[in-house]
Amino acid sequence: MAAPPVSGPSETARVEAFSDGIFAIAITLLVLNIRVPPPDLTGHGGTLLPALLRLWPAYLGYLISFLTIGIMWVNHHSMFVLIQRTDRYFLLLSVFFLMCIAFLPFPTAVLAEYLPEPKGRRVAVALYSAAFVLTAMAYNALWWYAVRWGGLLDKNADREAVVTISRRYLIGPIAYAISFGLAFINAWASLAVHGVLAAFFVLPVRKPTPRRPAM
Amino acid sequence: MAAPPVSGPSETARVEAFSDGIFAIAITLLVLNIRVPPPDLTGHGGTLLPALLRLWPAYLGYLISFLTIGIMWVNHHSMFVLIQRTDRYFLLLSVFFLMCIAFLPFPTAVLAEYLPEPKGRRVAVALYSAAFVLTAMAYNALWWYAVRWGGLLDKNADREAVVTISRRYLIGPIAYAISFGLAFINAWASLAVHGVLAAFFVLPVRKPTPRRPAM
Amino acid sequence: MAAPPVSGPSETARVEAFSDGIFAIAITLLVLNIRVPPPDLTGHGGTLLPALLRLWPAYLGYLISFLTIGIMWVNHHSMFVLIQRTDRYFLLLSVFFLMCIAFLPFPTAVLAEYLPEPKGRRVAVALYSAAFVLTAMAYNALWWYAVRWGGLLDKNADREAVVTISRRYLIGPIAYAISFGLAFINAWASLAVHGVLAAFFVLPVRKPTPRRPAM
Amino acid sequence: MAAPPVSGPSETARVEAFSDGIFAIAITLLVLNIRVPPPDLTGHGGTLLPALLRLWPAYLGYLISFLTIGIMWVNHHSMFVLIQRTDRYFLLLSVFFLMCIAFLPFPTAVLAEYLPEPKGRRVAVALYSAAFVLTAMAYNALWWYAVRWGGLLDKNADREAVVTISRRYLIGPIAYAISFGLAFINAWASLAVHGVLAAFFVLPVRKPTPRRPAM
């Protein structure tokens, strides 16, 4: 209790709201990467449908990034069920984590542009994986700070659940690092790791919440 | 009570806030589809007014999409008056639903670009309708999960109102599917379905809210 | 009490939050209308400073639109101090009002592009004023519905303050209509009305809020 | 009872929410300044990696602006722990402050474009510093109004902490003014001031919060 928390429970509400804002904006900006095919390209000879189909890398990037950021939001959400307080360093770690989240539309745009190009594909997928390595590391830093240094958890938080969650979160940076390495061997295999990881994080933790009496 | 809810009433608040954020951003990004006519196009010989009038498909797309998303927001809103709890799967279905909402600026942009082009018009309107079919299906999935599987409704929710709402929501995917089919016959008739549907969903349900004592 | 309100006080919170979201996004998107001068234009012979100064119409548009939308937000805010409930029609009027707010970045962008062009200037300013006429009308519709039809005000709202506010709000559409007419005579005089109006709405109402004991 | 506050504690919540919205959007729009290298530029002879590396000024601008805005958010946050009420003028000062925040993506974009160009570099860095001078001044105006004129602070706010905070906030405009002057001598030294300042504001105030009993 040497370093006093910035404020009471309402503080957590404001970090959550700010985080939700950035999650919501970053996830919604992803759609700007899907560009309308210009009429002059589709006009002479071609039709709209094949031009729309050629945009598949943009759709794929939208799908993977949206689901991954969305699932991160769901987990960030579960994290804040356990976190009861904030302090200055936690807020700063949050800013760093949110800087990673807000950056994700860029590697997604690069992916959408270069996935069909044999030359740039590997670098594009590697950049994409690297951005997620960084984001997952920032996410873990946030969690570890709250658990270990900051002592920001709810006193009644189920210790066992905390350990399970901690282990689970570590899978993120490791798997994305593998995906980064795979990018230089096979871009598609690397992308597949992103899909598998999203599916994995959809699964609930066995003990997802602190025990609490029925409300 | 086998599958414990993620948390208490404040949880619903956070999904609502996140959803509102994405609704608000997606709906506001629509305006970016209305592009300022470049001065060199209007400068020599032409004037600004006809150039602005030629943008009518962009205005029309803005109007239909804004109203439809706005009305969906109003209904999403009414839905959460009845929903009292959330769980992990509900959050994930929400992410999927919001992925559809956040995608809508793209088909709207395609519509704005290709509505005046006889060649691309049908495909543009079909894409537009297809996006709304998907969105309406995700919306229904959200509702049905809350009612049937998740048991997330307020215990005091008026059963009759729930049934009325359930039937009413089903009209969405069916009507948009009809609109999708119509797109290949007549693009304008297909768009008209969107207008009629927006008007229909504006009408209140006979029993819109659970009975509650005067506050 | 014939038309039951959608819900309790928390409902107002959600409309406010959604409105705040759209206000915040529309107001922040305005900056996208200020385009970075391309290096090839400034590179040969010219320097960056004059290129930045040539962007003055974009800065002016940003300034007027930001302040006007910002002041509307402040007033919208004061409005909701008096409004206690919402109903379906109020939400729909809100959607219509927010459609106007979210549209404002477009006429601002047109203004920024065509203000220095003698040919398009009048039409650009007329469009700008017309957009504000519509927005101010929607704002008044929202207020009048809450006061007259919906009966959504706080029972303890100071009647005199309500009358003062009602009269004051009517100045908006009238002044913007004058500004619209002026646009065809003198574009600068028309813009000046926007400035004067913003300054006017900054002034507090004589009786801005119900008296309450010092907290 | 002479000058009644606009409302109770919930008012502060709405300004905070609106501010958070604008902070969140402005900070997330920064990523739009990092443009995907067009394939035709990287295609012939070159590869994607060097094209991505050439974007370093855009990454640097993103990093500095994101961290600075993020830290401003953290401090704005601490400010509102002490502020208990709002009034009309405080809201208007908030609108002005937020106009500065929402403008920041523009000078960041100019910086990203002109930092590698020897000709425009100094002007770009000077514009960047000038924008932060203005923002820091608006931030101080907000704080001073709350403390001196508005009397909006929590009655129990620690006077000593208020004085410490006030002094500390004054460092912002002064340091950015120095950075502005330095821009004309050495652009890199000027940018370094931004980095140092961000690091300085990360440090906690000795007495960061009002003394309050353990909750």
Side-chain angles (χ1 to χ4, degrees):
Chain A
M1 289 212 187
V6 172
S7 74
S10 68
E11 270 320 275
T12 315
R14 203 175 163 191
V15 199
E16 289 181 65
F18 187 61
S19 303
D20 281 0
I22 289 184
F23 269 110
I25 301 154
I27 217 171
T28 316
L29 287 182
L30 291 171
V31 79
L32 300 182
N33 292 332
I34 314 179
R35 301 278 164 77
V36 178
D40 41 316
L41 262 178
T42 52
H44 46 81
T47 51
L48 181 56
L49 189 60
L52 287 174
L53 295 177
R54 266 195 305 275
L55 293 176
W56 65 266
Y59 305 137
L60 185 67
Y62 179 78
L63 192 78
I64 300 180
S65 290
F66 199 104
L67 289 181
T68 308
I69 300 178
I71 290 159
M72 256 183 218
W73 173 75
V74 172
N75 284 313
H76 187 257
H77 198 261
S78 307
M79 194 201 268
F80 274 87
V81 173
L82 296 165
I83 293 175
Q84 204 182 34
R85 286 181 309 281
T86 67
D87 65 15
R88 201 172 178 84
Y89 299 107
F90 184 77
L91 294 185
L92 291 165
L93 281 172
S94 282
V95 168
F96 182 73
F97 168 63
L98 294 170
M99 188 168 73
C100 296
I101 291 288
F103 183 71
L104 294 174
F106 173 68
T108 306
V110 171
L111 187 78
E113 191 71 46
Y114 287 92
L115 200 52
E117 313 250 338
K119 251 183 162 173
R121 186 185 297 150
R122 287 179 185 191
V123 172
V125 174
L127 172 72
Y128 190 72
S129 295
F132 278 104
V133 170
L134 199 68
T135 308
M137 281 171 63
Y139 187 85
N140 273 277
L142 202 62
W143 172 247
W144 282 96
Y145 179 78
V147 173
R148 289 287 161 93
W149 287 279
L152 305 177
L153 290 207
D154 187 336
K155 298 294 170 208
N156 305 317
D158 181 340
R159 282 291 116 188
E160 211 180 314
V162 168
V163 170
T164 313
I165 287 173
S166 300
R167 275 197 206 126
R168 193 178 154 93
Y169 283 172
L170 277 177
I171 292 165
I174 295 167
Y176 286 124
I178 292 169
S179 162
F180 175 76
L182 267 176
F184 299 99
I185 301 165
N186 187 313
W188 307 107
S190 171
L191 271 187
V193 173
H194 286 264
V196 168
L197 209 58
F200 170 77
F201 278 115
V202 162
L203 297 174
V205 186
R206 232 172 324 144
K207 287 190 165 246
T209 49
R211 276 176 230 138
R212 53 173 72 186
M215 303 171 68
Chain B
M1 290 215 187
V6 171
S7 74
S10 69
E11 269 322 274
T12 314
R14 202 175 165 190
V15 198
E16 290 181 65
F18 187 61
S19 303
D20 281 2
I22 289 184
F23 269 110
I25 300 154
I27 217 171
T28 316
L29 287 183
L30 290 171
V31 79
L32 299 182
N33 293 332
I34 314 179
R35 300 278 164 78
V36 179
D40 40 316
L41 262 178
T42 54
H44 46 81
T47 52
L48 181 56
L49 189 60
L52 287 174
L53 295 177
R54 267 196 303 277
L55 292 176
W56 65 265
Y59 305 137
L60 185 67
Y62 179 78
L63 193 77
I64 301 180
S65 290
F66 199 104
L67 289 181
T68 308
I69 300 178
I71 290 160
M72 253 181 218
W73 174 75
V74 173
N75 284 313
H76 187 258
H77 200 257
S78 307
M79 192 199 268
F80 274 87
V81 174
L82 296 165
I83 293 174
Q84 205 183 33
R85 286 181 308 281
T86 66
D87 65 15
R88 200 172 180 84
Y89 298 109
F90 185 77
L91 294 184
L92 291 166
L93 280 172
S94 281
V95 168
F96 182 73
F97 168 64
L98 294 170
M99 188 169 73
C100 296
I101 291 288
F103 183 72
L104 294 174
F106 173 68
T108 307
V110 172
L111 187 78
E113 191 72 45
Y114 286 93
L115 200 54
E117 314 248 341
K119 252 182 163 173
R121 186 184 297 151
R122 288 178 185 192
V123 173
V125 174
L127 172 72
Y128 190 71
S129 296
F132 278 103
V133 170
L134 198 68
T135 309
M137 281 171 62
Y139 187 86
N140 273 278
L142 203 60
W143 172 247
W144 283 96
Y145 179 79
V147 172
R148 288 288 161 92
W149 286 278
L152 305 177
L153 290 206
D154 187 337
K155 298 292 169 209
N156 304 318
D158 181 340
R159 281 291 117 189
E160 213 179 312
V162 169
V163 170
T164 313
I165 287 173
S166 299
R167 276 197 205 126
R168 193 179 155 90
Y169 283 172
L170 276 178
I171 293 165
I174 295 167
Y176 287 124
I178 292 170
S179 163
F180 176 76
L182 268 176
F184 298 99
I185 301 166
N186 187 314
W188 307 107
S190 171
L191 270 187
V193 173
H194 286 264
V196 169
L197 209 59
F200 170 78
F201 278 115
V202 162
L203 297 173
V205 187
R206 231 172 322 149
K207 288 189 166 250
T209 50
R211 276 178 231 138
R212 53 174 73 186
M215 301 172 67
Chain C
M1 288 211 187
V6 172
S7 75
S10 68
E11 268 321 275
T12 314
R14 203 176 164 189
V15 197
E16 291 181 65
F18 187 61
S19 303
D20 282 2
I22 289 184
F23 269 109
I25 300 154
I27 218 171
T28 315
L29 287 183
L30 291 170
V31 79
L32 299 183
N33 292 333
I34 314 180
R35 300 278 164 76
V36 179
D40 40 316
L41 262 177
T42 53
H44 45 83
T47 52
L48 180 56
L49 188 61
L52 286 174
L53 295 177
R54 267 197 303 277
L55 292 177
W56 64 267
Y59 305 138
L60 185 67
Y62 179 78
L63 192 77
I64 301 179
S65 290
F66 199 103
L67 289 181
T68 309
I69 300 178
I71 290 160
M72 253 182 220
W73 173 75
V74 172
N75 285 312
H76 187 258
H77 199 258
S78 306
M79 193 200 267
F80 273 86
V81 174
L82 296 165
I83 293 175
Q84 204 182 33
R85 287 182 307 281
T86 66
D87 65 15
R88 201 173 178 84
Y89 298 107
F90 184 78
L91 293 185
L92 291 166
L93 281 171
S94 282
V95 167
F96 182 73
F97 168 65
L98 294 170
M99 188 169 71
C100 295
I101 290 289
F103 183 70
L104 294 174
F106 173 67
T108 306
V110 171
L111 187 78
E113 191 73 45
Y114 285 92
L115 200 54
E117 313 248 341
K119 252 183 162 170
R121 187 185 297 150
R122 288 177 185 192
V123 172
V125 174
L127 172 72
Y128 190 70
S129 296
F132 278 104
V133 170
L134 199 68
T135 309
M137 282 171 63
Y139 187 85
N140 273 277
L142 202 60
W143 172 247
W144 283 96
Y145 178 79
V147 173
R148 288 286 161 93
W149 286 279
L152 305 178
L153 291 207
D154 187 335
K155 298 294 171 211
N156 304 317
D158 181 341
R159 279 291 118 189
E160 212 179 312
V162 168
V163 170
T164 313
I165 287 173
S166 299
R167 277 197 204 126
R168 194 180 154 92
Y169 283 172
L170 276 178
I171 292 166
I174 295 168
Y176 286 124
I178 291 170
S179 163
F180 176 76
L182 267 176
F184 297 99
I185 301 167
N186 187 313
W188 307 107
S190 172
L191 269 188
V193 173
H194 286 264
V196 169
L197 210 59
F200 170 78
F201 278 115
V202 161
L203 297 173
V205 187
R206 231 171 324 147
K207 286 191 166 251
T209 51
R211 275 181 228 135
R212 59 174 67 189
M215 301 170 68
Chain D
M1 282 200 203
V6 171
S7 75
S10 68
E11 269 320 277
T12 314
R14 204 175 163 191
V15 198
E16 290 181 66
F18 187 61
S19 303
D20 281 2
I22 289 185
F23 270 110
I25 301 153
I27 218 171
T28 316
L29 286 183
L30 291 170
V31 79
L32 299 183
N33 292 332
I34 314 178
R35 300 278 163 76
V36 178
D40 40 316
L41 262 178
T42 53
H44 46 83
T47 51
L48 181 55
L49 188 60
L52 287 174
L53 294 178
R54 268 195 303 276
L55 292 176
W56 65 266
Y59 304 138
L60 185 67
Y62 179 78
L63 193 78
I64 301 180
S65 290
F66 200 103
L67 289 181
T68 309
I69 300 178
I71 290 160
M72 255 182 220
W73 173 75
V74 172
N75 284 312
H76 188 258
H77 198 259
S78 306
M79 195 201 268
F80 274 87
V81 174
L82 296 165
I83 292 175
Q84 203 182 35
R85 288 182 305 281
T86 67
D87 65 15
R88 201 171 178 84
Y89 298 107
F90 184 78
L91 294 185
L92 291 165
L93 280 171
S94 281
V95 168
F96 182 73
F97 168 64
L98 295 170
M99 188 169 72
C100 296
I101 291 288
F103 183 71
L104 294 174
F106 173 68
T108 307
V110 172
L111 188 78
E113 191 72 45
Y114 287 92
L115 201 54
E117 314 248 338
K119 253 182 161 173
R121 187 185 296 150
R122 287 177 185 192
V123 173
V125 174
L127 172 72
Y128 190 70
S129 295
F132 277 104
V133 170
L134 199 70
T135 308
M137 282 171 62
Y139 187 85
N140 273 278
L142 202 61
W143 172 246
W144 282 96
Y145 179 78
V147 172
R148 289 286 161 93
W149 287 279
L152 305 177
L153 290 207
D154 188 334
K155 298 295 170 206
N156 305 317
D158 180 342
R159 282 290 118 187
E160 212 180 313
V162 168
V163 170
T164 313
I165 287 174
S166 299
R167 275 197 204 128
R168 193 181 154 90
Y169 282 173
L170 277 177
I171 293 165
I174 294 168
Y176 286 124
I178 292 169
S179 163
F180 176 76
L182 268 176
F184 298 99
I185 301 165
N186 188 313
W188 306 107
S190 172
L191 270 187
V193 173
H194 287 264
V196 169
L197 210 58
F200 171 77
F201 279 115
V202 161
L203 298 174
V205 186
R206 231 173 322 147
K207 286 187 165 251
T209 50
R211 277 177 228 136
R212 56 173 71 186
M215 301 171 69

